[in-house]
């Protein structure tokens, strides 16, 4: 009797859950603003652009040259060569000879208790001279108006941290079937406007590929020292900004910043394995329930429709059609907004299936202590139920 009851209510539960996710996506679509939708600032403070780089010979030249080409009067670019074993240092030295605005720092070995990239960012912040500091990754490219427009947005919103979702460049099918799920996750599960208005850290998401801080606010929350051992530093920094009463703003950076996060499926697999479980703050039970429910809610309706095509069945297929329609619409909104090729919407079942596998791989690798990044081991986290 109990199983019969749940069997009857399950389709309605899925449709209801997806309706909430669709509502969040619609809310985000119309409320998240681009950098260039704010009035140009009357005064532009000095900005320090900070880039950690470890074995980035494929990306560093394009990144740094795009930063040096900014249409902005007063800025510096600081790049920390984090013990690279490739040509990163040579490329940076070559560029610095041509442009005095680039300062190249040599990183030192991280102290005990620090993750490598976090220590690199901490060293950069210590050398910065700007009133504003922008952390960005070595695999990003920035349009010439990116700094001007993002600073204008920060000033117009009186924000302490402006973060943005870049346009994701994906060249292989391994990237196309994994990276877009990030946009789906941000757009459909985080009501950004509520996080901003109600100042709720749990509803916020910060993107490490672009984090523009007021330096005074960054230092007030303890900077990178406060998150030195947390694998998802960007999300944690955003949480700290909101929790300590500062103003956090999430924006659409897809017209100003481009990022190729990974090169192929293997690279994406290892990168996401490192971060997905950590993004749930290592809550094991919440993580397992959450990913299981997401997979069931988005994939079960497709499975039901597939079975209905093979043979008649006593199941409300109309509700399955509604559920699939809801999923398609919300994912289309996310991909359209962040300039992800819209044909990939139709492949969302494959993407979600792959990403669910990566999510549980992330859990398993963390539990057995196999996590590493950039050839460095990662300390075992404190797990929570």
């Amino acid at each position: 009797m109990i199983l019969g009851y749940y069997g009857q209510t399950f389709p309605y539960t899925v449709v209801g859950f997806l309706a909430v996710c669709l509502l969040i996506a619609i809310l985000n679509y119309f409320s998240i603003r681009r950098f260039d939708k704010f009035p140009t600032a009357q005064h532009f403070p000095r900005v320090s652009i900070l880039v950690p780089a470890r074995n980035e010979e494929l990306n560093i030249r394009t990144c740094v040259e795009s930063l040096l080409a900014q249409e902005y009067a007063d800025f510096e670019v600081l790049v920390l060569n984090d013990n690279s074993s490739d040509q990163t240092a040579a490329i940076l030295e070559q560029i610095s000879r041509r442009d005095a605005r680039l300062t190249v720092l040599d990183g030192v070995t991280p102290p005990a208790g620090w993750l490598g990239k976090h220590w690199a960012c901490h060293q950069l912040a210590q050398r910065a001279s700007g009133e504003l500091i922008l952390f960005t990754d070595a695999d990003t490219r920035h349009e010439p108006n990116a700094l001007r427009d993002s600073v204008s947005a920060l000033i117009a919103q009186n924000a302490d941290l402006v973060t943005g979702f870049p346009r994701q460049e994906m060249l292989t099918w391994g990237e196309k079937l994994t990276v877009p799920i990030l946009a789906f996750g941000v757009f459909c599960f985080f009501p950004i406007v509520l996080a901003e208005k109600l100042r709720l850290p749990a509803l916020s998401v910060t993107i490490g590929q672009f984090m523009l801080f007021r330096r005074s606010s960054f230092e007030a929350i303890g900077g990178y020292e406060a998150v030195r051992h947390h694998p998802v530093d960007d999300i944690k920094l955003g949480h700290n900004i909101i929790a300590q009463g500062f103003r956090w703003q999430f924006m659409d950076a897809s017209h100003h910043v481009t990022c190729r996060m990974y090169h192929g499926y293997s690279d994406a697999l290892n990168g996401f394995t490192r971060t997905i479980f950590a993004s749930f703050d290592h809550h094991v039970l919440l993580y397992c329930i959450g990913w299981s429910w997401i997979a069931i809610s988005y994939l079960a309706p497709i499975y039901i429709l597939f079975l209905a095509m093979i043979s008649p069945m006593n199941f409300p297929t109309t509700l399955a059609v509604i559920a699939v329609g809801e999923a398609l619409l919300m994912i289309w909104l996310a991909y359209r907004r962040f300039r992800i090729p819209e044909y990939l919407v139709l492949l969302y079942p494959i993407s979600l299936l792959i990403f669910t596998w990566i999510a549980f791989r992330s859990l398993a690798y963390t539990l057995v202590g196999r996590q590493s990044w950039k050839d460095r081991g990662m300390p075992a986290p404190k797990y929570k139920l």
Side-chain angles (χ1 to χ4, degrees), residues 339-359:
R339 303 178 69 195
I340 294 171
E342 295 176 29
Y343 70 87
L344 293 176
V345 173
L346 298 176
L347 300 179
Y348 87 84
I350 300 174
S351 294
L352 191 54
L353 196 60
I354 294 173
F355 218 84
T356 302
W357 142 245
I358 297 175

Side-chain angles (χ1 to χ4, degrees), residues 35 66-67 70-72 134 141-152 210 212 253 255-257:
F35 292 157
S66 75
L67 292 171
Q70 290 302 298
E71 298 169 350
Y72 197 91
L134 169 63
R141 300 194 310 273
H142 301 250
E143 296 300 319
N145 60 344
L147 193 56
R148 181 193 66 212
D149 289 347
S150 59
V151 170
S152 293
F210 193 98
L212 178 63
H255 290 261
H256 293 79
V257 184

Side-chain angles (χ1 to χ4, degrees), residues 7 10 30 45 74 119 122 160 172 178 206 214-215 218 244 287 289 292 296 363:
F10 170 75
F30 290 105
D74 189 10
W119 174 241
H122 177 73
D160 297 283
T172 70
T178 54
T206 300
R214 291 187 190 272
R215 183 173 179 172
F218 174 78
Q244 296 188 38
Y287 186 81
I289 293 174
S292 297
I296 291 170
L363 172 64

Side-chain angles (χ1 to χ4, degrees), residues 154-175:
L154 179 140
I155 292 173
Q157 294 295 93
N158 193 28
D160 297 283
L161 165 60
V162 163
T163 185
F165 196 94
R167 184 177 73 85
Q168 302 297 330
E169 183 178 54
M170 302 161 291
L171 301 185
T172 70
W173 276 106
E175 298 161 66

